[in-house]
Amino acid sequence: MATRRPLVRISGRTQQLPAGDVLAGVAQSLPVYQTNQTFVLISLTSKIQGYVLPVYQAAGAVVEVPL
C-alpha cells in the first residue's frame, strides 16, 4: 500500500502535500512516563523520512532516533 501524504490547499485546490515539503508548525509530541511516575511530553522532529526522537547524550551530543 502506498504511503499517503497530508492533504493541503494549493492555489485553491486540494491535493497531497508535494514530496519533500513538510508542514511547518505541526506540533508532535510523545508522552513519556518517568521512573518517578511523572508525565512529560517530548517533542518530535519532523524529517522528510518521518519523525525522529531527539536523544540527548550525557556528553551533550544529540542523536536522532527514527520512529
Side-chain angles (χ1 to χ4, degrees), residues 32-40:
V32 175
Y33 288 93
Q34 297 177 333
T35 55
N36 64 359
Q37 298 180 352
T38 58
F39 172 79
V40 296

Side-chain angles (χ1 to χ4, degrees), residues 28-30 42-55 62-67:
Q28 297 292 326
S29 57
L30 179 68
I42 297 177
S43 296
L44 302 177
T45 304
S46 177
K47 299 285 184 176
I48 293 173
Q49 302 85 357
Y51 290 101
V52 296
L53 175 66
V55 176
V62 178
V63 177
E64 293 182 335
V65 179
L67 301 176

Side-chain angles (χ1 to χ4, degrees), residues 1-40:
M1 177 185 279
T3 302
R4 308 281 288 174
R5 294 186 303 270
L7 294 177
V8 295
R9 302 273 302 169
I10 299 175
S11 300
R13 297 181 53 200
T14 301
Q15 53 188 308
Q16 286 190 30
L17 185 69
D21 287 2
V22 294
L23 296 174
V26 177
Q28 297 292 326
S29 57
L30 179 68
V32 175
Y33 288 93
Q34 297 177 333
T35 55
N36 64 359
Q37 298 180 352
T38 58
F39 172 79
V40 296

